[in-house]
Amino acid sequence: MMDFLNSVVAFFQTGGAFMYPILVVFALGAAVAIERYVRLVYERHTNRAAWEKLQPVLNTGDFDRARNLVKEDNTGVGRLLAMGLERQGAVRRREDIEIAMEESIMETIPQLEKRTPYVALGSNIATLLGLLGTIMGLIEAFTAVANANPAEKADLLSASISVAMNTTAFGLMVGIALLIVHAFLNSLTGQIVDSLEMVSVKALNIMSSGTRRRSDAAQEEKAPEAKGDKKPVNRDVQQTQEAQQKAVAATDEATDNTSKPESV
């Protein structure tokens, strides 16, 4: 273990002055990556807990209670449902509720992606600093070799080039590490956004079905009241009356024909 640490320290010390800027970039990128990871994991956990708490309330159709629960809920799911429930109680149109939820998701996405691009920027800067350090090291090496003795030129040039290559190697190691972390953070952010969209669709379907059930129940309550003014019609009695009327009409016609005098 000590040999590994000593080799790392020796590698860093022989890399030249550009090793320190690359180290600073790595420290800043790692700090941003850790902060974003903690924030995203916390957001995913709180969103899941909020949905597990609110889903049973929505399934029962108690939207007033759901509104009270999301008033002080500052999670992404809480803000999303607050926007949707606010429109549901005011206009009851599916399109308006859907637009309100999409607006909430669009407001949440920049907060989830906040500072994440800096990790990718750090990866690019570290790689470029490594290349720049190598170029500067080679310039210094060739300048020193030009004024050296011919017998020492080969040894001095090889040593200078090996030192300059350390800067490129360190820059690439930092750049690759930060690039992998950036891809992981983007994947985690995408998972949270997908979960918000899924919650939006589920909540929208629950609200629409609940509103439809209430509307159907209201129409069923009004239907008996509207039918109460009309007397029920007995179908058998109506058919009997129609048959009697036809029989009377046939008898009258036969009587008229009999009472007419025959023509001479």
Short mmCIF file of all heavy atoms in Angstrom, two decimals, residues 147-205:
data_model
loop_
_atom_site.label_atom_id
_atom_site.label_comp_id
_atom_site.label_asym_id
_atom_site.label_seq_id
_atom_site.Cartn_x
_atom_site.Cartn_y
_atom_site.Cartn_z
N ASN A 147 20.60 23.22 -26.08
CA ASN A 147 21.79 23.80 -25.47
C ASN A 147 22.62 22.78 -24.70
O ASN A 147 23.60 23.14 -24.04
CB ASN A 147 21.40 24.93 -24.51
CG ASN A 147 20.67 26.05 -25.22
OD1 ASN A 147 20.97 26.36 -26.37
ND2 ASN A 147 19.69 26.66 -24.53
N ALA A 148 22.25 21.50 -24.75
CA ALA A 148 22.97 20.47 -23.99
C ALA A 148 24.08 19.87 -24.84
O ALA A 148 24.15 20.06 -26.06
CB ALA A 148 21.98 19.39 -23.55
N ASN A 149 24.94 19.11 -24.16
CA ASN A 149 26.02 18.40 -24.86
C ASN A 149 25.44 17.29 -25.72
O ASN A 149 24.43 16.68 -25.37
CB ASN A 149 27.01 17.79 -23.86
CG ASN A 149 27.73 18.88 -23.07
OD1 ASN A 149 27.99 19.97 -23.60
ND2 ASN A 149 28.03 18.59 -21.81
N PRO A 150 26.06 17.02 -26.85
CA PRO A 150 25.53 15.96 -27.74
C PRO A 150 25.42 14.61 -27.05
O PRO A 150 24.49 13.84 -27.34
CB PRO A 150 26.55 15.92 -28.89
CG PRO A 150 27.14 17.29 -28.89
CD PRO A 150 27.20 17.71 -27.45
N ALA A 151 26.33 14.29 -26.13
CA ALA A 151 26.28 12.98 -25.47
C ALA A 151 25.09 12.89 -24.51
O ALA A 151 24.61 11.79 -24.23
CB ALA A 151 27.59 12.73 -24.72
N GLU A 152 24.63 14.02 -23.99
CA GLU A 152 23.54 14.01 -23.00
C GLU A 152 22.17 14.28 -23.62
O GLU A 152 21.16 14.25 -22.92
CB GLU A 152 23.82 15.07 -21.94
CG GLU A 152 25.11 14.84 -21.17
CD GLU A 152 25.40 15.96 -20.20
OE1 GLU A 152 24.64 16.96 -20.24
OE2 GLU A 152 26.34 15.84 -19.43
N LYS A 153 22.13 14.58 -24.89
CA LYS A 153 20.86 14.97 -25.51
C LYS A 153 19.81 13.85 -25.47
O LYS A 153 18.65 14.08 -25.16
CB LYS A 153 21.09 15.39 -26.96
CG LYS A 153 21.71 16.77 -27.10
CD LYS A 153 21.79 17.19 -28.55
CE LYS A 153 22.37 18.60 -28.68
NZ LYS A 153 22.41 19.05 -30.10
N ALA A 154 20.22 12.62 -25.77
CA ALA A 154 19.26 11.52 -25.82
C ALA A 154 18.65 11.25 -24.45
O ALA A 154 17.43 11.11 -24.31
CB ALA A 154 19.94 10.27 -26.37
N ASP A 155 19.52 11.17 -23.43
CA ASP A 155 19.01 10.90 -22.08
C ASP A 155 18.14 12.04 -21.57
O ASP A 155 17.08 11.82 -20.97
CB ASP A 155 20.19 10.69 -21.12
CG ASP A 155 20.99 9.45 -21.47
OD1 ASP A 155 20.39 8.54 -22.12
OD2 ASP A 155 22.17 9.39 -21.12
N LEU A 156 18.56 13.28 -21.81
CA LEU A 156 17.80 14.43 -21.35
C LEU A 156 16.46 14.51 -22.07
O LEU A 156 15.43 14.82 -21.45
CB LEU A 156 18.62 15.70 -21.58
CG LEU A 156 18.00 17.00 -21.08
CD1 LEU A 156 17.76 16.96 -19.58
CD2 LEU A 156 18.91 18.19 -21.43
N LEU A 157 16.42 14.22 -23.37
CA LEU A 157 15.18 14.29 -24.14
C LEU A 157 14.19 13.22 -23.69
O LEU A 157 12.99 13.50 -23.53
CB LEU A 157 15.48 14.14 -25.63
CG LEU A 157 14.28 14.28 -26.58
CD1 LEU A 157 13.65 15.67 -26.45
CD2 LEU A 157 14.71 14.02 -28.01
N SER A 158 14.66 12.00 -23.47
CA SER A 158 13.76 10.92 -23.04
C SER A 158 13.18 11.20 -21.66
O SER A 158 12.00 10.95 -21.40
CB SER A 158 14.52 9.59 -23.04
OG SER A 158 15.62 9.65 -22.12
N ALA A 159 14.01 11.74 -20.76
CA ALA A 159 13.53 12.06 -19.41
C ALA A 159 12.50 13.18 -19.46
O ALA A 159 11.46 13.13 -18.77
CB ALA A 159 14.70 12.44 -18.52
N SER A 160 12.72 14.19 -20.26
CA SER A 160 11.80 15.31 -20.36
C SER A 160 10.46 14.89 -20.98
O SER A 160 9.39 15.32 -20.55
CB SER A 160 12.43 16.43 -21.19
OG SER A 160 13.63 16.88 -20.59
N ILE A 161 10.54 14.01 -21.99
CA ILE A 161 9.30 13.55 -22.62
C ILE A 161 8.47 12.71 -21.66
O ILE A 161 7.24 12.82 -21.60
CB ILE A 161 9.63 12.78 -23.91
CG1 ILE A 161 10.17 13.74 -24.97
CG2 ILE A 161 8.40 12.05 -24.45
CD1 ILE A 161 10.62 13.05 -26.25
N SER A 162 9.13 11.85 -20.88
CA SER A 162 8.40 11.02 -19.92
C SER A 162 7.71 11.89 -18.87
O SER A 162 6.59 11.60 -18.44
CB SER A 162 9.35 10.03 -19.26
OG SER A 162 10.33 10.72 -18.49
N VAL A 163 8.38 12.96 -18.44
CA VAL A 163 7.76 13.87 -17.47
C VAL A 163 6.56 14.57 -18.10
O VAL A 163 5.50 14.72 -17.48
CB VAL A 163 8.80 14.89 -16.97
CG1 VAL A 163 8.11 15.99 -16.16
CG2 VAL A 163 9.85 14.22 -16.11
N ALA A 164 6.69 15.00 -19.35
CA ALA A 164 5.59 15.69 -20.01
C ALA A 164 4.40 14.77 -20.23
O ALA A 164 3.24 15.20 -20.16
CB ALA A 164 6.08 16.26 -21.34
N MET A 165 4.64 13.48 -20.48
CA MET A 165 3.55 12.53 -20.69
C MET A 165 2.72 12.31 -19.43
O MET A 165 1.54 11.93 -19.49
CB MET A 165 4.10 11.20 -21.18
CG MET A 165 4.67 11.22 -22.60
SD MET A 165 3.42 11.53 -23.86
CE MET A 165 3.89 13.18 -24.36
N ASN A 166 3.32 12.52 -18.26
CA ASN A 166 2.57 12.35 -17.01
C ASN A 166 1.38 13.32 -16.95
O ASN A 166 0.32 12.98 -16.42
CB ASN A 166 3.49 12.58 -15.81
CG ASN A 166 4.49 11.46 -15.63
OD1 ASN A 166 4.38 10.41 -16.27
ND2 ASN A 166 5.48 11.67 -14.78
N THR A 167 1.57 14.51 -17.48
CA THR A 167 0.48 15.50 -17.45
C THR A 167 -0.70 15.02 -18.30
O THR A 167 -1.86 15.11 -17.88
CB THR A 167 0.98 16.85 -17.97
OG1 THR A 167 2.16 17.21 -17.28
CG2 THR A 167 -0.07 17.92 -17.76
N THR A 168 -0.40 14.50 -19.48
CA THR A 168 -1.47 13.98 -20.33
C THR A 168 -2.17 12.79 -19.68
O THR A 168 -3.41 12.69 -19.72
CB THR A 168 -0.90 13.56 -21.70
OG1 THR A 168 -0.32 14.70 -22.33
CG2 THR A 168 -2.00 13.00 -22.58
N ALA A 169 -1.41 11.91 -19.09
CA ALA A 169 -2.00 10.73 -18.45
C ALA A 169 -2.93 11.14 -17.29
O ALA A 169 -4.05 10.63 -17.18
CB ALA A 169 -0.89 9.81 -17.93
N PHE A 170 -2.47 12.08 -16.48
CA PHE A 170 -3.29 12.52 -15.35
C PHE A 170 -4.54 13.24 -15.84
O PHE A 170 -5.65 13.04 -15.31
CB PHE A 170 -2.46 13.43 -14.44
CG PHE A 170 -3.16 13.80 -13.18
CD1 PHE A 170 -3.69 12.84 -12.34
CD2 PHE A 170 -3.31 15.13 -12.82
CE1 PHE A 170 -4.34 13.19 -11.17
CE2 PHE A 170 -3.95 15.50 -11.66
CZ PHE A 170 -4.47 14.52 -10.82
N GLY A 171 -4.40 14.07 -16.86
CA GLY A 171 -5.56 14.77 -17.40
C GLY A 171 -6.60 13.80 -17.98
O GLY A 171 -7.81 13.98 -17.79
N LEU A 172 -6.11 12.76 -18.66
CA LEU A 172 -7.05 11.77 -19.21
C LEU A 172 -7.73 10.97 -18.12
O LEU A 172 -8.93 10.65 -18.22
CB LEU A 172 -6.30 10.84 -20.17
CG LEU A 172 -5.85 11.47 -21.50
CD1 LEU A 172 -5.02 10.47 -22.30
CD2 LEU A 172 -7.06 11.92 -22.31
N MET A 173 -7.02 10.62 -17.08
CA MET A 173 -7.63 9.87 -15.97
C MET A 173 -8.74 10.70 -15.31
O MET A 173 -9.83 10.19 -15.03
CB MET A 173 -6.56 9.48 -14.95
CG MET A 173 -5.66 8.35 -15.42
SD MET A 173 -4.56 7.75 -14.11
CE MET A 173 -3.44 9.14 -13.95
N VAL A 174 -8.47 11.96 -15.06
CA VAL A 174 -9.49 12.83 -14.45
C VAL A 174 -10.66 13.02 -15.41
O VAL A 174 -11.83 12.95 -15.01
CB VAL A 174 -8.86 14.18 -14.07
CG1 VAL A 174 -9.94 15.16 -13.63
CG2 VAL A 174 -7.84 13.99 -12.95
N GLY A 175 -10.36 13.24 -16.70
CA GLY A 175 -11.43 13.46 -17.67
C GLY A 175 -12.35 12.25 -17.82
O GLY A 175 -13.58 12.38 -17.86
N ILE A 176 -11.77 11.06 -17.88
CA ILE A 176 -12.58 9.85 -18.01
C ILE A 176 -13.45 9.64 -16.77
O ILE A 176 -14.64 9.29 -16.87
CB ILE A 176 -11.68 8.64 -18.28
CG1 ILE A 176 -11.02 8.77 -19.66
CG2 ILE A 176 -12.46 7.34 -18.17
CD1 ILE A 176 -9.95 7.73 -19.93
N ALA A 177 -12.87 9.83 -15.61
CA ALA A 177 -13.63 9.64 -14.37
C ALA A 177 -14.81 10.60 -14.29
O ALA A 177 -15.94 10.20 -13.97
CB ALA A 177 -12.71 9.82 -13.17
N LEU A 178 -14.57 11.88 -14.58
CA LEU A 178 -15.66 12.85 -14.51
C LEU A 178 -16.71 12.60 -15.59
O LEU A 178 -17.90 12.83 -15.37
CB LEU A 178 -15.09 14.27 -14.65
CG LEU A 178 -14.23 14.77 -13.49
CD1 LEU A 178 -13.74 16.19 -13.77
CD2 LEU A 178 -15.00 14.73 -12.17
N LEU A 179 -16.28 12.10 -16.75
CA LEU A 179 -17.24 11.82 -17.82
C LEU A 179 -18.17 10.66 -17.43
O LEU A 179 -19.38 10.69 -17.70
CB LEU A 179 -16.48 11.47 -19.10
CG LEU A 179 -17.30 11.45 -20.40
CD1 LEU A 179 -17.92 12.81 -20.67
CD2 LEU A 179 -16.42 11.00 -21.55
N ILE A 180 -17.63 9.64 -16.78
CA ILE A 180 -18.45 8.53 -16.31
C ILE A 180 -19.45 8.99 -15.26
O ILE A 180 -20.63 8.62 -15.26
CB ILE A 180 -17.55 7.39 -15.77
CG1 ILE A 180 -16.75 6.78 -16.92
CG2 ILE A 180 -18.38 6.32 -15.08
CD1 ILE A 180 -15.71 5.77 -16.47
N VAL A 181 -18.96 9.83 -14.34
CA VAL A 181 -19.86 10.34 -13.30
C VAL A 181 -20.97 11.19 -13.91
O VAL A 181 -22.13 11.13 -13.48
CB VAL A 181 -19.04 11.15 -12.26
CG1 VAL A 181 -19.96 11.86 -11.28
CG2 VAL A 181 -18.09 10.23 -11.51
N HIS A 182 -20.62 11.99 -14.91
CA HIS A 182 -21.63 12.82 -15.57
C HIS A 182 -22.70 11.97 -16.23
O HIS A 182 -23.91 12.28 -16.15
CB HIS A 182 -20.95 13.71 -16.61
CG HIS A 182 -21.90 14.58 -17.38
ND1 HIS A 182 -22.34 14.24 -18.65
CD2 HIS A 182 -22.51 15.74 -17.07
CE1 HIS A 182 -23.17 15.16 -19.07
NE2 HIS A 182 -23.30 16.09 -18.15
N ALA A 183 -22.31 10.89 -16.89
CA ALA A 183 -23.29 9.99 -17.51
C ALA A 183 -24.18 9.35 -16.45
O ALA A 183 -25.40 9.20 -16.66
CB ALA A 183 -22.57 8.92 -18.33
N PHE A 184 -23.63 8.99 -15.33
CA PHE A 184 -24.42 8.39 -14.25
C PHE A 184 -25.44 9.38 -13.70
O PHE A 184 -26.60 9.03 -13.44
CB PHE A 184 -23.49 7.90 -13.14
CG PHE A 184 -24.21 7.40 -11.92
CD1 PHE A 184 -24.86 6.16 -11.94
CD2 PHE A 184 -24.25 8.16 -10.77
CE1 PHE A 184 -25.53 5.71 -10.82
CE2 PHE A 184 -24.92 7.71 -9.64
CZ PHE A 184 -25.57 6.48 -9.66
N LEU A 185 -25.01 10.63 -13.50
CA LEU A 185 -25.93 11.65 -12.99
C LEU A 185 -27.05 11.93 -13.99
O LEU A 185 -28.21 12.13 -13.60
CB LEU A 185 -25.16 12.94 -12.68
CG LEU A 185 -24.16 12.86 -11.52
CD1 LEU A 185 -23.40 14.19 -11.41
CD2 LEU A 185 -24.86 12.54 -10.21
N ASN A 186 -26.72 11.95 -15.27
CA ASN A 186 -27.76 12.14 -16.29
C ASN A 186 -28.77 11.00 -16.28
O ASN A 186 -29.98 11.22 -16.43
CB ASN A 186 -27.13 12.26 -17.68
CG ASN A 186 -26.63 13.66 -17.96
OD1 ASN A 186 -27.06 14.63 -17.34
ND2 ASN A 186 -25.71 13.78 -18.89
N SER A 187 -28.28 9.78 -16.11
CA SER A 187 -29.18 8.64 -16.04
C SER A 187 -30.09 8.72 -14.82
O SER A 187 -31.30 8.44 -14.92
CB SER A 187 -28.36 7.35 -16.00
OG SER A 187 -29.20 6.22 -15.83
N LEU A 188 -29.55 9.11 -13.68
CA LEU A 188 -30.35 9.25 -12.47
C LEU A 188 -31.40 10.35 -12.63
O LEU A 188 -32.56 10.21 -12.20
CB LEU A 188 -29.44 9.53 -11.28
CG LEU A 188 -30.08 9.53 -9.89
CD1 LEU A 188 -30.78 8.21 -9.61
CD2 LEU A 188 -29.01 9.81 -8.83
N THR A 189 -31.01 11.45 -13.25
CA THR A 189 -31.96 12.54 -13.50
C THR A 189 -33.08 12.08 -14.43
O THR A 189 -34.26 12.40 -14.21
CB THR A 189 -31.23 13.74 -14.11
OG1 THR A 189 -30.18 14.16 -13.23
CG2 THR A 189 -32.20 14.90 -14.34
N GLY A 190 -32.74 11.33 -15.47
CA GLY A 190 -33.75 10.82 -16.39
C GLY A 190 -34.74 9.89 -15.70
O GLY A 190 -35.95 9.92 -15.99
N GLN A 191 -34.26 9.08 -14.77
CA GLN A 191 -35.16 8.20 -14.03
C GLN A 191 -36.16 8.99 -13.20
O GLN A 191 -37.35 8.64 -13.13
CB GLN A 191 -34.35 7.27 -13.13
CG GLN A 191 -33.50 6.26 -13.88
CD GLN A 191 -32.64 5.43 -12.95
OE1 GLN A 191 -32.77 5.48 -11.72
NE2 GLN A 191 -31.74 4.65 -13.51
N ILE A 192 -35.70 10.07 -12.58
CA ILE A 192 -36.61 10.89 -11.76
C ILE A 192 -37.64 11.58 -12.64
O ILE A 192 -38.83 11.64 -12.30
CB ILE A 192 -35.79 11.91 -10.94
CG1 ILE A 192 -34.88 11.19 -9.95
CG2 ILE A 192 -36.71 12.87 -10.21
CD1 ILE A 192 -33.94 12.10 -9.21
N VAL A 193 -37.22 12.10 -13.79
CA VAL A 193 -38.16 12.76 -14.70
C VAL A 193 -39.19 11.75 -15.21
O VAL A 193 -40.40 12.05 -15.29
CB VAL A 193 -37.41 13.42 -15.86
CG1 VAL A 193 -38.39 13.97 -16.90
CG2 VAL A 193 -36.51 14.55 -15.35
N ASP A 194 -38.75 10.55 -15.55
CA ASP A 194 -39.68 9.52 -16.00
C ASP A 194 -40.69 9.16 -14.92
O ASP A 194 -41.88 8.92 -15.21
CB ASP A 194 -38.92 8.27 -16.44
CG ASP A 194 -38.10 8.50 -17.70
OD1 ASP A 194 -38.41 9.47 -18.43
OD2 ASP A 194 -37.15 7.73 -17.95
N SER A 195 -40.23 9.09 -13.67
CA SER A 195 -41.15 8.78 -12.58
C SER A 195 -42.17 9.90 -12.38
O SER A 195 -43.35 9.63 -12.10
CB SER A 195 -40.37 8.56 -11.28
OG SER A 195 -39.74 9.76 -10.85
N LEU A 196 -41.76 11.15 -12.56
CA LEU A 196 -42.71 12.26 -12.46
C LEU A 196 -43.75 12.18 -13.58
O LEU A 196 -44.94 12.44 -13.35
CB LEU A 196 -41.97 13.59 -12.51
CG LEU A 196 -41.11 13.96 -11.30
CD1 LEU A 196 -40.37 15.27 -11.55
CD2 LEU A 196 -41.96 14.08 -10.04
N GLU A 197 -43.33 11.86 -14.78
CA GLU A 197 -44.29 11.73 -15.88
C GLU A 197 -45.25 10.57 -15.64
O GLU A 197 -46.45 10.67 -15.97
CB GLU A 197 -43.53 11.52 -17.19
CG GLU A 197 -42.73 12.76 -17.63
CD GLU A 197 -41.94 12.51 -18.90
OE1 GLU A 197 -41.88 11.33 -19.34
OE2 GLU A 197 -41.38 13.48 -19.45
N MET A 198 -44.76 9.48 -15.06
CA MET A 198 -45.63 8.36 -14.76
C MET A 198 -46.65 8.74 -13.70
O MET A 198 -47.84 8.42 -13.81
CB MET A 198 -44.80 7.17 -14.27
CG MET A 198 -45.62 5.93 -13.94
SD MET A 198 -44.63 4.62 -13.19
CE MET A 198 -44.18 5.41 -11.63
N VAL A 199 -46.21 9.45 -12.65
CA VAL A 199 -47.13 9.92 -11.62
C VAL A 199 -48.16 10.87 -12.21
O VAL A 199 -49.35 10.82 -11.86
CB VAL A 199 -46.34 10.61 -10.49
CG1 VAL A 199 -47.27 11.37 -9.55
CG2 VAL A 199 -45.56 9.58 -9.69
N SER A 200 -47.72 11.72 -13.14
CA SER A 200 -48.65 12.65 -13.78
C SER A 200 -49.75 11.92 -14.53
O SER A 200 -50.94 12.25 -14.42
CB SER A 200 -47.88 13.56 -14.74
OG SER A 200 -48.76 14.38 -15.49
N VAL A 201 -49.39 10.88 -15.29
CA VAL A 201 -50.39 10.12 -16.05
C VAL A 201 -51.34 9.38 -15.11
O VAL A 201 -52.57 9.37 -15.30
CB VAL A 201 -49.69 9.15 -17.01
CG1 VAL A 201 -50.70 8.25 -17.69
CG2 VAL A 201 -48.89 9.92 -18.05
N LYS A 202 -50.79 8.73 -14.09
CA LYS A 202 -51.64 7.99 -13.16
C LYS A 202 -52.60 8.92 -12.42
O LYS A 202 -53.80 8.62 -12.30
CB LYS A 202 -50.77 7.24 -12.15
CG LYS A 202 -50.05 6.03 -12.72
CD LYS A 202 -49.31 5.27 -11.64
CE LYS A 202 -48.67 4.01 -12.18
NZ LYS A 202 -47.96 3.25 -11.13
N ALA A 203 -52.08 10.04 -11.93
CA ALA A 203 -52.94 10.98 -11.21
C ALA A 203 -54.00 11.57 -12.13
O ALA A 203 -55.16 11.75 -11.73
CB ALA A 203 -52.09 12.09 -10.59
N LEU A 204 -53.63 11.84 -13.36
CA LEU A 204 -54.59 12.40 -14.31
C LEU A 204 -55.72 11.41 -14.60
O LEU A 204 -56.90 11.79 -14.65
CB LEU A 204 -53.88 12.76 -15.61
CG LEU A 204 -54.72 13.43 -16.70
CD1 LEU A 204 -55.31 14.74 -16.22
CD2 LEU A 204 -53.87 13.66 -17.94
N ASN A 205 -55.38 10.14 -14.75
CA ASN A 205 -56.41 9.13 -14.98
C ASN A 205 -57.33 8.97 -13.77
O ASN A 205 -58.54 8.81 -13.91
CB ASN A 205 -55.76 7.78 -15.32
CG ASN A 205 -55.07 7.79 -16.67
OD1 ASN A 205 -55.44 8.57 -17.55
ND2 ASN A 205 -54.07 6.96 -16.83
#
